[in-house]
């Protein structure tokens, strides 16, 4: 048995606004990836030379969280050297959005049988009760 929460497909404008929030909470979260690489792997990213950008790929149903180099730069990490051109980016996350039907098909491919689904009033999120086939 599994109980899984799933973010449903929704208006792309709403998704872009959520992942590029004006308060900068998501940007801070995303840029923390570089800070952790510096701290934990001895990298030398200049965090202030990257910016956060989230792009919604409607066809694939996913948000791509990106860290975009604002200048050409050279970085060291784990004994490797990386060069970034201005506007070159690192994808840090894919956040998929599904319709209920799409998620049920995915669950079946993974060997689960959907038994019940609950959605919020606005159909933004869902919770799925699944059993093993």
């Amino acid at each position: 048995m599994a109980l899984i929460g799933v973010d449903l497909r929704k208006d792309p404008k709403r998704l872009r606004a959520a992942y590029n929030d004006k308060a900068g909470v998501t940007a801070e979260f995303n840029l923390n990836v570089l800070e952790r690489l510096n701290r934990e792997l001895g990298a030398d990213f200049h965090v202030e030379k990257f910016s956060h950008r989230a792009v919604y790929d409607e066809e694939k149903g996913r948000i791509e969280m990106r860290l975009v180099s604002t200048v050409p730069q050279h970085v060291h990490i784990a004994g490797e050297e990386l060069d970034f051109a201005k506007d070159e980016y690192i994808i840090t996350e894919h956040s998929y959005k599904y319709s209920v039907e799409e998620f049920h098909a995915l669950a079946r491919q993974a060997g689960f049988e959907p038994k019940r689904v609950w959605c919020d009033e606005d159909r933004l999120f869902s919770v799925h009760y699944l059993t093993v086939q």
Side-chain angles (χ1 to χ4, degrees):
M1 167 187 96
L3 193 62
I4 300 177
V6 176
D7 199 6
L8 295 175
R9 287 187 182 248
K10 53 188 67 73
D11 182 348
K13 289 179 188 174
R14 185 178 199 137
L15 287 167
R16 284 190 284 274
Y19 284 85
N20 293 293
D21 60 286
K22 291 180 183 178
V25 174
T26 308
E28 188 176 323
F29 174 81
N30 198 16
L31 288 161
N32 186 54
V33 169
L34 300 180
E35 291 172 7
R36 291 198 61 189
L37 289 169
N38 287 347
R39 185 174 59 249
E40 297 173 23
L41 296 179
D44 60 0
F45 285 94
H46 293 275
V47 178
E48 71 281 358
K49 293 181 181 178
F50 283 85
S51 65
H52 161 78
R53 187 175 308 144
V55 176
Y56 183 59
D57 184 329
E58 194 164 359
E59 183 181 320
K60 294 179 181 172
R62 72 181 184 205
I63 285 283
E64 287 185 0
M65 299 252 292
R66 299 176 179 178
L67 293 174
V68 183
S69 180
T70 59
V71 297
Q73 56 184 304
H74 187 77
V75 177
H76 300 89
I77 180 171
E80 299 291 325
E81 296 184 18
L82 302 172
D83 286 307
F84 289 92
K86 182 181 186 303
D87 296 325
E88 189 171 1
Y89 57 87
I90 303 165
I91 296 176
T92 57
E93 178 183 328
H94 286 154
S95 182
Y96 283 86
K97 315 304 174 191
Y98 297 95
S99 68
V100 168
E101 298 75 21
E102 287 170 329
F103 183 74
H104 284 178
L106 184 64
R108 286 186 179 102
Q109 287 176 358
F112 289 95
E113 185 59 37
K115 292 296 183 182
R116 186 142 184 219
V117 62
W118 298 269
C119 295
D120 66 296
E121 186 177 298
D122 295 324
R123 293 193 61 82
L124 301 174
F125 305 98
S126 58
V127 176
H128 301 259
Y129 171 62
L130 311 169
T131 58
V132 177
Q133 290 177 345

